[in-house]
Amino acid sequence: MSINGLLNVSAGELCLKNVLQTGQSFRWLLDEATGIYSTTLKISDTLGYSIITLRQDVDFGQVFYEVLNAKVDTETIENHLKNYFRLDVDLQNLHKNHWLANDEKFKMLDHKGIRILGQEPWETLVSFICSTNNNIGRISKMCHALSENFGEYIDEYKGTKYYTFPSSEDIATKATEIQLRGLGFGYRAKYIIETAKKFVEDKKKYGLSDDAQFLNEVVAKKGYLEAREFLMGYCGVGPKVADCVCLMGLHMDEVVPVDVHVGRIAKRDYNIQAPKKFLQELRGQFDHLPITKKKINPELDYIRLKFTEIWGEYAGWAQGLLFFRETDKSDASAAKKRKTTSSPAASKKPKLDTNELVSAISVKAE
């Protein structure tokens, strides 16, 4: 059974293109001919994943959805989508009364319907482990490879087979480091395998079996600093990856993940430079958090603190807007450079497979 519906969204509050293709979520497929996005989402904790498609009316903002093999009712689907897109947050109000009121640089910025997603936290954790020194195209390829090889088959839609995202048990029991390396994960293969195995053991300690439940009910309730410390206990998880999980998977809206792009924005546009004395004091504040003290870069953490001070409780959302602008500029600059350096001879060369193309947007993980 399929369920079709309409998600009423005010114009400007959500732009699918600026949210689903910019480095937050990595398993959405876009049919450019129809403008339809598709993926599998865990709409119900008890009934599992379903195939879902989305199409947006660009003039009015409304989002048309279809859920294939629907195991839930319309109300459950719409509640899930509202939570996924965090529609409880008024983006226009944030821009006008929070960011613009405290940061005059937002006078020149349109929020462009850019929202922070409320994603399934286990998938968020694994996806951002994959993001280490990587780009969006390759991260997406890895996430799809995990689903196709270790997730459960759901159904076929318009010639494409769809799968669940594998649970920690799926990866721990079905996958090996050698297999993942064969699928192109490189050194990240070890990180994912070790994280999945430790995650399974950690859930057992709390008497839990569901990945999302463990992260939402145990880790998130620790508070930000303790949650970051806990997450960095997993193999391959540094401050940037942990912060992305806190922001996009655990609804910690004040968290500002700092990567090379955000670091550049901080120094270039805000002249943020930490005094050496403060950096020493900052490191000393983590004496009770040994993993944090070992892995943290005080200069980057200072940037996180300053941006949180400027932008307030939704600082992570403000960072998302500036990150989009920065990477969009980088993408445009790279495209212009490719165009100006191309030659007639080069244009005659056969095209590379799209799976091999490297995205101009780099998602660095510190």
Side-chain angles (χ1 to χ4, degrees):
M1 178 182 72
S2 296
I3 295 179
N4 297 272
L6 172 65
L7 192 65
N8 282 309
V9 184
S10 301
E13 281 292 310
L14 168 64
C15 175
L16 293 184
K17 178 182 177 181
N18 292 346
V19 172
L20 300 181
Q21 297 177 268
T22 54
Q24 288 194 63
S25 183
F26 301 98
R27 288 196 306 117
W28 286 95
L29 300 173
L30 172 63
D31 183 338
E32 295 186 358
T34 61
I36 293 176
Y37 292 87
S38 60
T39 192
T40 61
L41 290 178
K42 193 176 183 181
I43 296 176
S44 168
D45 290 337
T46 56
L47 298 176
Y49 284 78
S50 296
I51 300 172
I52 185 166
T53 71
L54 302 175
R55 178 177 62 83
Q56 186 166 29
D57 185 316
V58 293
D59 294 321
F60 297 99
Q62 299 168 314
V63 175
F64 300 89
Y65 68 81
E66 180 180 9
V67 178
L68 289 75
N69 307 105
K71 305 171 186 176
V72 293
D73 57 22
T74 300
E75 182 180 3
T76 301
I77 294 169
E78 295 194 0
N79 284 338
H80 182 83
L81 289 174
K82 288 174 182 177
N83 289 330
Y84 184 80
F85 288 112
R86 299 293 311 281
L87 296 181
D88 57 307
V89 179
D90 187 330
L91 198 55
Q92 304 272 19
N93 178 60
L94 272 186
H95 190 273
K96 179 180 179 181
N97 298 318
H98 290 259
W99 304 331
L100 191 56
N102 297 297
D103 185 349
E104 63 180 11
K105 292 179 175 60
F106 277 79
K107 290 180 181 178
M108 307 300 293
L109 287 173
D110 179 356
H111 55 71
K112 298 180 181 293
I114 299 166
R115 312 183 67 83
I116 296 299
L117 296 173
Q119 302 183 79
E120 199 282 329
W122 165 250
E123 180 171 349
T124 307
L125 172 60
V126 176
S127 297
F128 280 97
I129 290 176
C130 292
S131 77
T132 310
N133 296 319
N134 215 340
N135 60 73
I136 292 175
R138 290 190 66 220
I139 302 165
S140 296
K141 186 177 180 180
M142 289 176 181
C143 291
H144 283 294
L146 286 172
S147 293
E148 292 167 9
N149 288 277
F150 310 110
E152 296 180 7
Y153 174 72
I154 297 179
D155 205 345
E156 185 172 322
Y157 173 69
K158 292 190 174 180
T160 298
K161 294 179 179 179
Y162 288 79
Y163 302 81
T164 67
F165 190 81
S167 67
S168 57
E169 283 85 3
D170 288 332
I171 295 174
T173 59
K174 299 177 184 178
T176 66
E177 182 179 341
I178 293 175
Q179 283 177 301
L180 292 185
R181 285 184 176 275
L183 291 169
F185 284 75
Y187 64 87
R188 305 169 195 84
K190 178 181 177 180
Y191 296 167
I192 293 170
I193 296 296
E194 293 302 316
T195 291
K197 290 179 179 179
K198 185 177 185 300
F199 204 89
V200 171
E201 293 303 314
D202 287 344
K203 287 190 301 181
K204 288 179 180 177
K205 294 176 185 177
Y206 288 88
L208 298 172
S209 59
D210 184 77
D211 295 328
Q213 184 184 15
F214 174 67
L215 284 164
N216 285 320
E217 296 185 8
V218 176
V219 181
K221 289 184 179 180
K222 292 177 178 291
Y224 167 61
L225 290 178
E226 294 285 350
R228 181 173 68 171
E229 170 83 359
F230 187 91
L231 289 167
M232 286 196 294
Y234 290 108
C235 191
V237 178
K240 165 65 188 309
V241 173
D243 282 350
C244 286
V245 177
C246 287
L247 174 63
M248 303 171 205
L250 300 178
H251 291 205
M252 295 184 182
D253 297 316
E254 76 281 4
V255 176
V256 177
V258 181
D259 68 350
V260 63
H261 300 292
V262 178
R264 181 166 58 242
I265 292 168
K267 294 176 182 178
R268 182 192 65 212
D269 300 338
Y270 290 85
N271 196 29
I272 294 177
Q273 187 101 17
K276 290 184 178 179
K277 182 180 179 181
F278 184 88
L279 293 180
Q280 294 173 350
E281 294 174 355
L282 183 61
R283 186 177 288 277
Q285 293 175 15
F286 298 132
D287 286 341
H288 66 297
L289 300 169
I291 300 175
T292 300
K293 189 171 184 177
K294 179 181 179 181
K295 290 190 174 184
I296 205 72
N297 180 323
E299 291 187 11
L300 298 182
D301 211 47
Y302 180 78
I303 292 172
R304 175 188 67 80
L305 289 168
K306 292 301 293 183
F307 276 146
T308 302
E309 181 182 313
I310 295 169
W311 297 327
E313 60 180 322
Y314 286 93
W317 290 58
Q319 171 269 340
L321 173 55
L322 292 179
F323 178 86
F324 174 87
R325 183 192 66 172
E326 190 72 12
T327 54
D328 193 46
K329 285 177 5 184
S330 298
D331 194 26
S333 176
K336 183 177 180 181
K337 185 176 180 180
R338 287 195 299 271
K339 183 176 180 180
T340 56
T341 57
S342 63
S343 66
S347 66
K348 294 180 181 179
K349 294 180 180 179
K351 294 183 179 180
L352 293 173
D353 186 282
T354 54
N355 287 329
E356 297 175 356
L357 291 175
V358 177
S359 169
I361 302 177
S362 178
V363 184
K364 298 285 186 181
E366 302 297 335

